[in-house]
Structures are given as structure tokens and as C-alpha cells.
Amino acid sequence: MTLEDCRIIELPKIKNPSGNLTAIEGEFHIPFAIQRVYYLYDIPGGSERGGHAHKNLQQLIIAMSGSFDVILDDGYNQQRYHLNRPYQGLYVRTLIWRQLDNFSSGSVCMVLASNHYDEADYYRDYDEFLRTLTCRTTL
Ligand code: TYD
């Protein structure tokens, strides 16, 4: 898995003078079935979230309100994305380390996930994450 497998997905935007609408269908607009939705809110200024990678989980990260940055890291390269549109999502593959920062006041980060919550799916130690990648590339 590399950063090239991650990308911004443009979601449908149904425009209406009374307010716009975006719908997301799993395995149609995004490449996985949605098993879980969670969101971050009431985020104090200067906070950092994330700081982990997942073994099997795929995610789509959306700035539902306000803005924030997501830094993706495949163990070799890093890329910073600024998310600030509720009709754009950042698709994050498995085995990608992510960190979120630069949250604007009142921002809401919604995450669509391909699996139920499972702590065993996390790499929370960056060195362990790098060791796993090295083992995979030398096999
Ligand atoms: P974590 O994934 O580390 O949050 P973030 O990446 O936003 O910093 O999760 C924070 C805590 O919330 C941790 O104790 C696990 C718990 N949690 C759940 O119980 N269910 C969930 O779906 C998620 C994402 C986290």
C-alpha cells in the first residue's frame, strides 16, 4: 500500500437553493461497504488526532464542517491534505499512518469505515508499523 492508493474522492453534490445535499453509497461512490461511521467534534484548538495505522481498515475522512489537515505516511513518503469541503472525502487505504491537525474552530471530522471497531486492527506504535512494512517488502 502506498500513498498513491490514497486520494481525494469527489462526492456527488445535489445543488439546491434551499441547501445542498451529498449522499454516499458504499461500494458505489467509495470502494468499500460502510460498516461504521464515527465523528470528531468539540476539538480544542491545537489538538492532534490519529497517530496510528490500520491493518485491514479502509476509511473515508470528510470535513463535514470547518477544516483540518490529514498527514498520510506510507513509511516512505508523507503527504498533507487540507480538507474543507463536505462533498470531498480522503480515501485512506490499509497500512497508512495518519495524523490529523490544524483543526479550525467548530470543525467536525466524519469518518466512514469498512469494519467495526477493533483495537487489534491498530498499529499505534510508529516503529512497529515501519517494521511491519519492512518485513512485507523483504518477503
Ligand atoms: P482513536 O481511533 O485513537 O481516535 P483518533 O484516531 O481520532 O485519535 O480512538 C480514540 C478512542 O475511542 C479509543 O479509546 C478507541 C475509541 N473508539 C471506539 O470505541 N470506537 C471507534 O469506532 C473509534 C474510532 C474509537
Side-chain angles (χ1 to χ4, degrees):
M1 301 307 156
T2 72
L3 285 184
E4 287 163 27
D5 299 308
C6 302
R7 64 187 186 280
I8 296 284
I9 294 179
E10 293 286 333
L11 301 164
K13 181 178 179 183
I14 301 161
K15 293 184 186 167
N16 188 308
S18 311
N20 299 325
L21 185 153
T22 290
I24 307 168
E25 297 189 20
E27 297 181 290
F28 183 61
H29 299 110
I30 60 176
F32 58 86
I34 300 163
Q35 294 273 13
R36 175 167 52 114
V37 177
Y38 66 91
Y39 35 94
L40 306 173
Y41 53 96
D42 293 344
I43 305 159
S47 292
E48 292 184 353
R49 303 292 305 230
H52 53 75
H54 287 280
K55 297 171 186 172
N56 292 307
L57 193 70
Q58 302 172 68
Q59 294 179 312
L60 189 83
I61 304 176
I62 303 171
M64 296 303 284
S65 183
S67 65
F68 52 83
D69 290 359
V70 184
I71 306 106
L72 300 184
D73 178 347
D74 64 5
Y76 299 93
N77 297 296
Q78 290 192 349
Q79 186 156 356
R80 180 179 284 269
Y81 292 87
H82 184 64
L83 299 184
N84 61 356
R85 300 277 186 263
Y87 54 86
Q88 291 178 338
L90 176 60
Y91 173 62
V92 184
R93 289 294 312 253
T94 56
L95 292 176
I96 300 287
W97 192 268
R98 87 289 312 274
Q99 187 163 317
L100 289 76
D101 64 15
N102 196 25
F103 290 94
S104 69
S105 172
S107 57
V108 178
C109 168
M110 184 173 79
V111 182
L112 310 182
S114 63
N115 284 313
H116 294 279
Y117 173 71
D118 177 9
E119 185 60 35
D121 187 64
Y122 280 73
Y123 289 107
R124 290 197 183 271
D125 181 280
Y126 188 69
D127 289 335
E128 184 197 356
F129 167 66
L130 289 183
R131 278 197 300 276
T132 303
L133 295 179
T134 309
C135 290
R136 282 173 176 246
T137 50
T138 53
L139 281 177

